[in-house]
Amino acid sequence: MMPKLTYRVWKVWRRNAEVFTKTIFVNFIPSMLEPILYLAAFGLGLGAYFGAEVFPGGASYIQFIAPGLISIAIMYGSFFECTYASFVRMYFQKSFDAIIATPISVDEVIAGETLWGATRATINSTIVLAVVAAFGLASSPTALLIPVVAFFGGLLFASLAMCFTALAPSIDFFNFPAFLFITPMFILSGTFFPIPDVIQGAALGALPLTHVVNLTRGLLTGNFLPLAGLSGVSVALLGLAWLAVATTVFFVLSIHLMKKRLIK
Amino acid sequence: MMGSSEVLIKARGLTKRFNSFTAVDGIDFEVCSGKCVGFLGPNGAGKTTTVRMIYCFLPVTDGELTVAGLDVKTQDRQIKGLIGVCPQEDNLDPDFSVIKNLQVYARYFDIPKQEATKRAEELLKFFALEEKRNAHVESLSGGMKRRLIMARALINQPKVLLLDEPTTGLDPQGRHLVWDEIRTLRKQGVTIILTTHYMEEAEALCDRILVVDNGKIIQTGAPKELIKQYVGKDVLEVEYDEQMVQTLKQELPDVEVEVFGDQVRVFAKQHGSFEQIIKQFPDKNVTIRNANLEDVFLKLTGRRLRE
């Protein structure tokens, strides 16, 4: 039932990390420019139309969206790495087949890919965190814990992505999860505006980005906010529990689905 | 190197089913160390499936398969460490240079970096790829890619080298270069299993051939023995001519005459059987050649187009 994993997982991870560092320039600059653009255009531009301290926790608009941008970087970094990029490696480059012919197992290849997806989430969101801090928007030292949330949140999105990759008949298939799952989360998880009351329960139950946003916002400001009738601490604990359970389930499921796809 | 009599790979009743389709149907074979054994058969015969079971890529449905005494069902990791695989499809890593492809692959086998680089340099030299050391994989020709895949397959100094259609799609120069390299490896004592549907390839490289069709081994033997046993020595090829066919049948009752379309092929057990007949038909465009494995192959597997 549980996948058998050894240190060899890191050899797969390292392969991807080495390709990444080779192209660090094209990977780094866009991840840095995007949050600057969002903070300037939405935070300062659109934010000028809102009064100060009107957002939950007495935040200004730019303060409100900052944790949203970090969380979106976590989701995009891991989800797109383990859908499009992993699919290219699996389907077009046949890299998985090549690695499976060595002492490394399928389980370890998939685990390595997923851990790499979580790493991408950590790298991308830490860049955004740095930009946010440069704008003076990281008001609590607990913000230094955000990369930890990024890694584990990234692990969830990477595992979910890997499930879709295992089921994808072609690369165009990813339009479904991208538009029907990722985009709604991008908008509705308390990223750019507070989650409307009527969908708060649904967001907590079905949109994992909500938990990532709640945790990131709490760590960035040192103040966990109540939501859907729950206290701030309860929301944070629920988030941690939700992420832990879902990550375990989808991580194991992704390996099973991938084995079914790759081993006939 | 091991003694040449040691059985390195052993299959008993080896079976592979994909749902209801039986790709490999209860085959038995043995491969001794230091030998080059060829799986020869039409498309879909089960060659690649067999090879993939040997390197533990496909799970065995039924029967036994051991590599160096290790069971593919339970000791796949150890087996994969002993085998070098050269797959049919190009699966080099396009994100890395030529040398880096070898270094990264060596890491998958736990080979320390310094040792990996040393082996990689030696292999590039052996496969005449030194000049391409830092080239991007995508810039290599088909033949170079194939040789790099072979180099990669040797990075772990395998006991067994599996070559799945090593020269498919190569031009004649590329193919002969690969053949030379396979021969050199053979001389060095590497055990080789190759699949091919090129008869001249099997003839040129293999000590023993397993002719497979519809998932079964239908014949085994050394290439020369198979030719002698199933076809004979000389083959005459000519455009169909009623009178000539009649004369051949009358004067040479031992030969085998095969007519397909407007072509006639005549197989003789002895050299020089046809000389007298040709003289009677001086204006015919007759070809006489040595019998080859292709004749055996077509005889054993029939002429029906596969797939």
Side-chain angles (χ1 to χ4, degrees):
Chain A
M1 187 61 205
M2 291 305 280
K4 289 187 203 76
L5 303 174
T6 70
Y7 68 96
R8 292 177 180 85
V9 168
W10 293 106
K11 293 174 186 282
V12 178
W13 181 90
R14 209 172 142 191
R15 180 230 164 260
N16 291 340
E18 281 179 1
V19 177
F20 175 79
T21 49
K22 238 180 43 175
T23 51
I24 191 114
F25 189 73
V26 286
N27 282 317
F28 215 83
I29 300 297
S31 337
M32 211 161 68
L33 290 179
E34 201 187 49
I36 294 174
L37 192 67
Y38 271 105
L39 286 173
F42 285 94
L44 300 175
L46 185 61
Y49 291 91
F50 304 124
E53 303 183 7
V54 298
F55 286 91
S60 67
Y61 190 54
I62 194 169
Q63 284 169 331
F64 181 79
I65 65 168
L69 296 178
I70 296 169
S71 305
I72 289 165
I74 294 171
M75 176 173 74
Y76 278 9
S78 49
F79 192 81
F80 290 107
E81 181 66 30
C82 289
T83 47
Y84 290 96
S86 288
F87 191 83
V88 166
R89 287 192 282 271
M90 170 185 76
Y91 190 85
F92 296 104
Q93 303 185 358
K94 314 268 177 215
S95 300
F96 294 5
D97 291 356
I99 301 173
I100 295 166
T102 75
I104 299 175
S105 68
V106 186
D107 296 20
E108 288 159 351
V109 171
I110 305 312
E113 287 280 316
T114 307
L115 285 171
W116 172 245
T119 308
R120 278 303 302 268
T122 312
I123 294 170
N124 289 13
S125 61
T126 303
I127 295 169
V128 179
L129 175 62
V131 171
V132 163
F135 272 76
L137 300 168
S139 47
S140 165
T142 50
L144 291 169
L145 291 171
I146 288 175
V148 180
V149 172
F151 184 81
F152 288 101
L155 204 55
L156 172 59
F157 292 115
S159 302
L160 283 165
M162 209 41 107
C163 291
F164 288 116
T165 301
L167 300 170
S170 76
I171 200 161
D172 301 317
F173 171 82
F174 295 127
N175 284 336
F176 286 111
F179 288 114
L180 300 179
F181 183 53
I182 297 299
T183 303
M185 279 197 284
F186 171 80
I187 297 168
L188 296 173
S189 303
T191 44
F192 294 103
F193 54 88
I195 306 171
D197 290 348
V198 283
I199 63 160
Q200 280 181 3
L204 285 174
L207 301 180
L209 186 63
T210 309
H211 298 294
V212 175
V213 172
N214 290 340
L215 290 166
T216 307
R217 181 165 288 138
L219 291 172
L220 196 65
T221 58
N223 181 20
F224 289 93
L225 301 174
L227 193 70
L230 299 169
S231 72
V233 175
S234 304
V235 169
L237 290 176
L238 173 69
L240 289 174
W242 205 103
L243 292 179
V245 172
T247 303
T248 310
V249 169
F250 287 107
F251 180 77
V252 173
L253 182 66
S254 71
I255 289 179
H256 275 271
L257 291 173
M258 260 309 180
K259 270 168 104 164
K260 221 173 148 188
R261 178 183 187 127
L262 294 173
I263 298 178
K264 297 287 177 211
Chain B
M1 283 299 143
M2 304 262 169
S4 60
S5 59
E6 191 207 9
V7 174
L8 209 50
I9 297 175
K10 191 170 170 181
R12 287 286 173 270
L14 182 62
T15 304
K16 179 68 192 178
R17 276 188 290 274
F18 298 104
N19 299 321
S20 61
F21 172 68
T22 305
V24 174
D25 194 1
I27 60 173
D28 299 335
F29 65 88
E30 284 176 2
V31 177
C32 292
S33 74
K35 298 289 181 196
C36 179
V37 173
F39 281 85
L40 181 66
N43 288 333
K47 307 184 294 287
T48 298
T49 304
T50 305
V51 166
R52 286 186 173 166
M53 285 192 283
I54 296 173
Y55 73 88
C56 311
F57 186 82
L58 289 174
V60 169
T61 309
D62 213 348
E64 281 169 39
L65 179 60
T66 59
V67 179
L70 302 163
D71 188 343
V72 293
K73 285 172 199 160
T74 52
Q75 290 160 299
D76 53 333
R77 229 196 265 279
Q78 291 101 304
I79 291 175
K80 290 198 285 181
L82 298 175
I83 290 183
V85 183
C86 175
Q88 223 173 91
E89 291 167 313
D90 160 28
N91 62 14
L92 291 165
D93 201 324
D95 293 324
F96 291 125
S97 67
V98 166
I99 182 89
K100 188 81 187 173
N101 255 278
L102 299 178
Q103 289 168 327
V104 170
Y105 213 68
R107 198 159 64 209
Y108 299 149
F109 289 94
D110 287 328
I111 300 163
K113 192 173 183 195
Q114 213 181 346
E115 173 68 15
T117 305
K118 190 174 141 254
R119 287 188 198 177
E121 303 282 6
E122 284 166 9
L123 286 165
L124 290 184
K125 198 170 165 192
F126 179 78
F127 286 99
L129 288 165
E130 281 166 299
E131 284 181 15
K132 296 287 175 186
R133 189 184 186 280
N134 298 312
H136 212 260
V137 162
E138 291 301 304
S139 70
L140 300 183
S141 70
M144 288 175 179
K145 280 185 184 168
R146 199 80 329 229
R147 273 147 48 215
L148 181 56
I149 289 177
M150 285 177 60
R152 193 184 66 178
L154 291 165
I155 197 82
N156 58 325
Q157 299 178 333
K159 269 190 158 186
V160 187
L161 181 62
L162 302 179
L163 304 171
D164 196 1
E165 297 190 10
T167 63
T168 298
L170 298 190
D171 62 15
Q173 282 83 357
R175 184 192 291 189
H176 280 276
L177 202 52
V178 168
W179 285 5
D180 286 344
E181 283 150 355
I182 294 174
R183 283 197 198 97
T184 310
L185 292 170
R186 256 184 68 183
K187 278 189 202 128
Q188 292 173 358
V190 179
T191 306
I192 298 171
I193 293 181
L194 70 87
T195 76
T196 184
H197 42 232
Y198 294 124
M199 313 306 133
E200 65 279 25
E201 184 160 293
E203 222 170 320
L205 301 174
C206 299
D207 297 300
R208 202 158 59 88
I209 288 170
L210 312 173
V211 183
V212 289
D213 197 18
N214 293 322
K216 289 198 159 77
I217 295 174
I218 54 176
Q219 203 49 248
T220 67
K224 282 202 170 64
E225 286 168 17
L226 287 174
I227 295 165
K228 204 172 140 195
Q229 187 183 348
Y230 286 92
V231 190
K233 290 274 189 189
D234 281 358
V235 180
L236 176 148
E237 290 178 321
V238 70
E239 211 170 289
Y240 186 78
D241 180 280
E242 184 62 35
Q243 201 191 346
M244 192 171 182
V245 170
Q246 290 309 324
T247 314
L248 275 163
K249 282 182 176 166
Q250 274 166 23
E251 297 198 13
L252 299 169
D254 289 345
V255 300
E256 213 174 304
V257 180
E258 206 179 78
V259 181
F260 51 101
D262 59 351
Q263 282 284 314
V264 181
R265 261 182 215 176
V266 188
F267 302 97
K269 297 278 178 205
Q270 308 295 328
H271 269 311
S273 304
F274 299 123
E275 276 165 26
Q276 287 302 317
I277 311 267
I278 306 170
K279 282 178 191 158
Q280 297 176 34
F281 299 90
D283 53 341
K284 287 282 167 200
N285 190 9
V286 173
T287 312
I288 294 178
R289 58 169 175 81
N290 287 330
N292 61 32
L293 211 47
E294 184 153 356
D295 301 317
V296 177
F297 185 73
L298 291 175
K299 200 154 197 174
L300 289 171
T301 64
R303 293 187 182 279
R304 191 167 50 82
L305 191 65
R306 301 310 168 97
E307 285 188 336

